Amino acid sequence: MNPGCIIVSDGWAAYNRIEEIGFRHEVVIHEDHFVDPSTGIHTNNVENYWQRCKRKIRFIYGTYRHLIPSYLDEFMWNERYGTTFNNRWNNTILHIKEN
């Protein structure tokens, strides 16, 4: 992520210092609304993505903390390129060819 990017988050206190490290920070307070009526910002997409990811990891693997980075990699790959064997195979070969 590049400094100057906009980070949209909820009002969790851990995010209060994001601007100090060079990012623009927009906040949606869910107790007030899920989509800010004046700016239109929201966290719905990322929260939906994260919920699907967690559900998939728990369903397939359980929760082995040391393997979470590889589970996340696989989830993101499948989200981007599909989960059927042909999609996985074709995209793997394409990426090997490109690199």
Side-chain angles (χ1 to χ4, degrees):
M1 220 174 348
N2 297 322
C5 290
I6 301 170
I7 296 177
V8 179
S9 71
D10 58 21
W12 190 36
Y15 302 136
N16 287 345
R17 300 179 69 186
I18 287 175
E19 289 181 338
E20 294 177 19
I21 57 173
F23 299 101
R24 186 171 142 206
H25 187 209
E26 299 287 342
V27 179
V28 177
I29 306 299
H30 290 152
E31 289 81 17
D32 298 337
H33 40 253
F34 286 97
V35 177
D36 187 295
S38 62
T39 64
I41 63 167
H42 60 84
T43 59
N44 297 349
N45 295 346
V46 71
E47 288 182 13
N48 175 274
Y49 190 84
W50 182 231
Q51 184 62 35
R52 289 192 340 263
C53 181
K54 290 189 295 186
R55 188 179 314 122
K56 186 79 162 186
I57 289 171
R58 285 186 194 126
F59 178 75
I60 293 176
Y61 303 109
T63 53
Y64 298 99
R65 196 173 279 281
H66 68 286
L67 295 176
I68 287 176
S70 65
Y71 300 158
L72 293 173
D73 288 341
E74 181 181 0
F75 178 81
M76 289 185 290
W77 176 274
N78 288 336
E79 284 285 303
R80 184 168 187 177
Y81 299 112
T83 58
T84 65
F85 175 78
N86 285 338
N87 286 346
R88 285 187 197 176
W89 176 253
N90 291 338
N91 283 303
T92 300
I93 296 302
L94 178 65
H95 282 83
I96 290 170
K97 180 181 170 183
E98 288 174 359
N99 292 304

